[in-house]
Amino acid sequence: MESSSILDSLGVEIIGVMAPVSICMFLVVLLTYSLSVTSDSQIRTAANLIYIENPSDSATVKLEGSLANAIVFVVLVAAVTFVLVLLFYYNFTNFLKHYMRFSAFFVLGTMGGAIFLSIIQHFSIPVDSITCFILLFNFTILGTLSVFSGGIPIVLRQCYMVVMGIVVAAWFTKLPEWTTWFILVALALYDLVAVLAPGGPLKLLVELASSRDEELPAMVYEARPTVSGHQGRNRGSSLRVLVGGGGVSDSGSVELQAVGNHVANQQGRGNSHNLDYNAVAVRDIDSVDGDGNGNGDGVSRSPHERHFASAVSSEHSTEVRVRGNNEIRETETDEEMSPLVELMGWGDNNREEARGLEESDNNVDSLNRGIKLGLGDFIFYSVLVGRAAMYDLMTVYACYLAIISGLGCTLILLSVYNRALPALPISIMLGVVFYFLTRLLMEPFVVGMTTNLMMF
Amino acid sequence: MTVAAGIGYALVALGPSLSLFVSVISRKPFLILTVLSSTLLWLVSLIILSGLWRPFLPLKANVWWPYALLVLSSVCFQEGLRFLFWKVYKRLEDVLDSFADRISRPRLFLTDKLQIALAGGLGHGVAHAVFFCLSLLTPAFGPATFYVDRCSKVPFFLVSAIIALAFVTIHTFSMVIAFEGYAKGNKVDQGIVPVIHLAAGMLTLVNFASEGCVIGVPLLYLVASVTLLHCGKMVWQRLKESRNQSDPSR
């Protein structure tokens, strides 16, 4: 352990976010490539309410129309976000969660269904309608369940987040070209304002959530370490120390943030419907912890090192001994973990006990959180790449690299500033700039070179 | 068949780097980040170069010296960029070392440094293959193929994939050579890298002659194997030295 180089452990968190984004973009590109022939029809969404682009329109008409589209779309998004903040402010959390489940169901069922149908048609897969319906229904239900419930393995939730990103992004790539670009840029700007400006809706939402210690009622990808949880956590924090110069850091997030320290009381509300999942959660965490201990990583670390780890990062876990039942669970322990200690103190009292224990599991769970990325970021990154895919592969690569490096920059900034940051602006701006540079400058250059078999 | 052909071309160009990526790079997230940033750097250099040359395009198809000038300028620019990359890496290495001291872990091993150099080179090589070969492969997935007049025996995609493979090898391993040369102040290693790069670039000019690819491609592979051999020899020596010192070298 001591002799392993620091290179093994650096940047796990960043890759943990970049990998799903890359997968999402890759699949969207594949989808647009394979399906672009069949589905050329215009779609009608909130994104082109005002103006429907016609290839024969003049540039000014297109410009004005798509600008209007973008403005309307952003205003709609802003309005919806404000409604969300209001609902959250007045504690309609359950309503929000159910609404999110409903929309997940809707997205997976209809949009996903449409995409599956076109895949089936395009590759002429022999499947009868009943089977297809049952498969789709099961798929959708599982996705709906995975959105906000604790009992689902995190891997599954991550997969479904990626799937939803793909589905929505594939849908958005059907928008006309100019509108797409304007909407992307407008959204990037909106994101900047909404997260950073005082009074921005997303900023309000994040602050509200962290002041109440609640989970954000929103679609968020959590790059929580899945298998070797403890290792991953320590690795992740190490990068932050490296970049951020050793500041104390909470579990950070991009754009949408939920800070890890849940206080028990706050979760009491609405927990009744979670109870049946919690049983599953316990087992699930058990197995994860088993892996972690099996690796012997956290256990064998020397005390002073552990102390250091807890000093630099307030992500931590505790040794939780579940009395009441016969099972004894152990997770790795760090020093600085007051909320959980308190919680265990209360746990002995009264009928709170059962719930308290389960919540402690939730807490252990939630403390492990890493970086979070809003689903919207997934979608709009993929929309950009998908749009680039309609031109050429070269632009796809350029845009992919630009977006990923923008994401990397955002993550580095995140570790410096330690607050919720918008993930769209840097990436989208870089992506758009690289797209047009590639298309206008690089393409003739490269094609001219390679068709003469010149390279360097 | 056509999809298979397209994938085949892509694998000819990128298969070795793919296996290198899976076996060495993908285990360590930091190396993946290195690959990505190095790829981005190469892309930026390509965009800048194409911006510089854009007013002169398209070049006349029957005169060879503008192409020679183009290759020369590109190689010079990219070698300058490599030096910049080294400077950045040097600072990063210091940061990493001080970080390692702070969490009382050992500093970077020799193998770590070599792996970072390899990742940086792989980034350059992959970027080359992606932009010069892969990005033109889209038609190869279709039902037809394409021949250029000057190399009429082999499909264009196959030739470009083969050439790209040679360049991937050259880029990948010359970065290792260059980093070691810079680190040890070895003038020969520092000098040989631009020479190799320039030679490889100039050798593609042979393709300009009719059926020149029959000669040009084998010569290119000669350069690639020289790079590979030199790199292997150098790394072997370094590893032996550091083992003789019997502690992980600094």
Side-chain angles (χ1 to χ4, degrees), chain B residues 155-213:
Chain B
F156 164 73
F157 302 119
L158 186 57
V159 188
S160 68
I162 289 174
I163 295 179
L165 175 62
F167 271 99
V168 170
T169 319
I170 291 171
H171 281 303
T172 306
F173 295 104
S174 62
M175 188 68 91
V176 181
I177 298 175
F179 271 30
E180 273 303 303
Y182 290 134
K184 301 197 73 178
N186 186 341
K187 292 288 177 205
V188 178
D189 282 341
Q190 286 175 28
I192 202 173
V193 171
V195 170
I196 288 174
H197 193 176
L198 192 63
M202 287 303 170
L203 277 177
T204 57
L205 289 179
V206 176
N207 297 332
F208 208 77
S210 182
E211 302 300 324
C213 55

Side-chain angles (χ1 to χ4, degrees), chain A residues 145-215:
Chain A
L145 287 183
S146 77
V147 176
F148 275 120
S149 36
I152 308 286
I154 183 75
V155 184
L156 191 72
R157 197 185 308 181
Q158 290 173 340
C159 288
Y160 267 104
M161 278 297 158
V162 172
V163 167
M164 279 199 312
I166 292 167
V167 166
V168 180
W171 200 255
F172 268 113
T173 50
K174 291 177 188 167
L175 285 176
E177 186 172 6
W178 286 59
T179 308
T180 314
W181 291 118
F182 275 100
I183 280 180
L184 283 175
V185 173
L187 270 175
L189 293 177
Y190 162 76
D191 199 19
L192 195 65
V193 173
V195 179
L196 291 182
L202 290 176
K203 187 182 166 75
L204 286 180
L205 195 66
V206 169
E207 280 171 357
L208 212 57
S210 64
S211 70
R212 286 193 206 161
D213 289 320
E214 276 183 37
E215 215 174 326

Side-chain angles (χ1 to χ4, degrees), chain A residues 14-32 155 158-167 169-170 221 373 377-379 381-383 385-386 396 400 403-404 407, chain B residues 21 32 36:
Chain A
I14 292 185
I15 292 300
V17 175
M18 281 181 179
V21 173
S22 309
I23 293 171
C24 189
M25 289 198 262
F26 176 71
L27 289 178
V28 168
V29 167
L30 271 191
L31 264 183
T32 39
V155 184
Q158 290 173 340
C159 288
Y160 267 104
M161 278 297 158
V162 172
V163 167
M164 279 199 312
I166 292 167
V167 166
Y221 180 90
L373 192 65
D377 304 328
F378 272 80
I379 293 171
Y381 292 162
S382 308
V383 169
V385 176
V396 174
Y400 168 74
I403 287 174
I404 283 292
L407 185 60
Chain B
F21 184 85
I32 303 182
L36 282 176

Side-chain angles (χ1 to χ4, degrees), chain A residues 280-417:
Chain A
V280 188
V282 173
R283 255 183 281 130
D284 184 36
I285 294 167
D286 266 344
S287 66
V288 169
D289 291 337
D291 281 355
N293 289 341
N295 287 338
D297 174 30
V299 180
S300 65
R301 279 186 305 160
S302 59
H304 80 274
E305 213 183 320
R306 253 199 236 165
H307 182 73
F308 182 82
S310 71
V312 291
S313 145
S314 61
E315 299 169 351
H316 39 243
S317 63
T318 183
E319 181 169 335
V320 183
R321 286 187 184 274
V322 178
R323 285 151 288 187
N325 309 357
N326 292 331
E327 77 185 294
I328 294 177
R329 298 201 304 108
E330 278 192 22
T331 51
E332 164 196 6
T333 166
D334 276 344
E335 281 85 335
E336 180 200 297
M337 45 83 36
S338 41
L340 288 176
V341 174
E342 277 172 28
L343 190 109
M344 291 316 295
W346 300 340
D348 288 338
N349 289 349
N350 41 15
R351 63 165 284 282
E352 277 289 304
E353 179 165 14
R355 177 178 287 176
L357 290 175
E358 276 149 4
E359 277 161 4
S360 76
D361 291 335
N362 279 347
N363 284 352
V364 171
D365 199 334
S366 63
L367 284 171
N368 285 347
R369 271 170 200 165
I371 297 171
K372 297 180 175 183
L373 192 65
L375 188 63
D377 304 328
F378 272 80
I379 293 171
F380 291 106
Y381 292 162
S382 308
V383 169
L384 206 165
V385 176
R387 174 45 66 180
M390 291 181 193
Y391 184 69
D392 192 10
L393 269 183
M394 203 181 295
T395 50
V396 174
Y397 300 129
C399 286
Y400 168 74
L401 282 174
I403 287 174
I404 283 292
S405 61
L407 185 60
C409 289
T410 314
L411 291 178
I412 288 171
L413 284 181
L414 178 74
S415 63
V416 175
Y417 288 111

Side-chain angles (χ1 to χ4, degrees), chain B residues 213-233:
Chain B
C213 55
V214 182
I215 306 162
V217 172
L219 283 178
L220 194 61
Y221 269 81
L222 193 68
V223 174
S225 44
V226 165
T227 319
L228 200 57
L229 276 180
H230 184 77
C231 177
K233 218 173 67 183

Side-chain angles (χ1 to χ4, degrees), chain A residues 2-3 5-8 10 238 241-242 394 397 434 440 442 445-446 449-450 452-456, chain B residues 28-30 54 67 70 95-96 99 102 106 109 112 128 130-132 135-136 150 156 204-205 207-208:
Chain A
E2 285 294 326
S3 63
S5 96
I6 55 168
L7 212 61
D8 295 334
L10 229 49
S238 69
V241 181
L242 177 67
M394 203 181 295
Y397 300 129
F434 270 66
L440 298 177
M442 210 172 90
F445 180 79
V446 168
M449 293 276 285
T450 34
N452 285 305
L453 292 175
M454 306 280 160
M455 296 182 191
F456 53 85
Chain B
K28 302 186 177 180
F30 185 77
R54 186 74 181 87
Y67 287 98
L70 199 156
V95 173
L96 285 179
F99 170 64
R102 262 168 45 206
F109 298 128
D112 292 334
H128 173 99
V130 159
F131 288 106
F132 277 129
S135 55
L136 300 177
R150 299 207 177 87
F156 164 73
T204 57
L205 289 179
N207 297 332
F208 208 77

Side-chain angles (χ1 to χ4, degrees), chain A residues 13-309:
Chain A
E13 250 179 13
I14 292 185
I15 292 300
V17 175
M18 281 181 179
V21 173
S22 309
I23 293 171
C24 189
M25 289 198 262
F26 176 71
L27 289 178
V28 168
V29 167
L30 271 191
L31 264 183
T32 39
Y33 252 114
S34 48
L35 299 183
S36 60
V37 194
T38 50
S39 59
D40 250 349
S41 62
Q42 286 264 346
I43 54 159
R44 189 86 179 146
T45 63
N48 53 355
L49 277 178
I50 302 288
Y51 163 72
I52 298 179
E53 193 171 318
N54 215 332
S56 57
D57 284 351
S58 74
T60 28
V61 176
K62 279 185 186 171
L63 190 84
E64 285 167 4
S66 30
L67 202 60
N69 274 342
I71 289 170
V72 167
F73 187 65
V74 166
V75 167
L76 275 179
V77 168
V80 170
T81 320
F82 268 115
V83 169
L84 206 131
V85 172
L86 274 184
L87 285 175
F88 190 56
Y89 184 76
Y90 291 109
N91 279 328
F92 286 104
T93 318
N94 272 342
F95 170 77
L96 282 176
K97 287 191 173 176
H98 287 304
Y99 171 71
M100 291 293 168
R101 291 197 182 100
F102 167 74
S103 57
F105 181 83
F106 189 73
V107 163
L108 288 172
T110 57
M111 292 170 155
I115 288 173
F116 288 138
L117 274 187
S118 53
I119 290 176
I120 288 170
Q121 275 172 0
H122 188 260
F123 295 103
S124 43
I125 300 167
V127 60
D128 64 294
S129 56
I130 299 170
T131 320
C132 182
F133 178 75
I134 290 175
L135 285 179
L136 181 66
F137 187 72
N138 278 300
F139 172 77
T140 311
I141 286 296
L142 191 58
T144 313
L145 287 183
S146 77
V147 176
F148 275 120
S149 36
I152 308 286
I154 183 75
V155 184
L156 191 72
R157 197 185 308 181
Q158 290 173 340
C159 288
Y160 267 104
M161 278 297 158
V162 172
V163 167
M164 279 199 312
I166 292 167
V167 166
V168 180
W171 200 255
F172 268 113
T173 50
K174 291 177 188 167
L175 285 176
E177 186 172 6
W178 286 59
T179 308
T180 314
W181 291 118
F182 275 100
I183 280 180
L184 283 175
V185 173
L187 270 175
L189 293 177
Y190 162 76
D191 199 19
L192 195 65
V193 173
V195 179
L196 291 182
L202 290 176
K203 187 182 166 75
L204 286 180
L205 195 66
V206 169
E207 280 171 357
L208 212 57
S210 64
S211 70
R212 286 193 206 161
D213 289 320
E214 276 183 37
E215 215 174 326
L216 273 183
M219 305 278 189
V220 173
Y221 180 90
E222 297 171 29
R224 191 189 302 174
T226 49
V227 184
S228 54
H230 306 308
Q231 266 183 343
R233 193 148 32 85
N234 294 324
R235 285 172 177 178
S237 60
S238 69
L239 185 91
R240 191 161 293 150
V241 181
L242 177 67
V243 181
V248 174
S249 61
D250 270 317
S251 67
S253 70
V254 180
E255 173 174 295
L256 294 172
Q257 175 177 28
V259 180
N261 294 336
H262 285 214
V263 179
N265 293 348
Q266 294 291 344
Q267 284 195 338
R269 194 174 39 250
N271 224 18
S272 52
H273 68 272
N274 267 347
L275 284 178
D276 39 353
Y277 300 131
N278 281 334
V280 188
V282 173
R283 255 183 281 130
D284 184 36
I285 294 167
D286 266 344
S287 66
V288 169
D289 291 337
D291 281 355
N293 289 341
N295 287 338
D297 174 30
V299 180
S300 65
R301 279 186 305 160
S302 59
H304 80 274
E305 213 183 320
R306 253 199 236 165
H307 182 73
F308 182 82

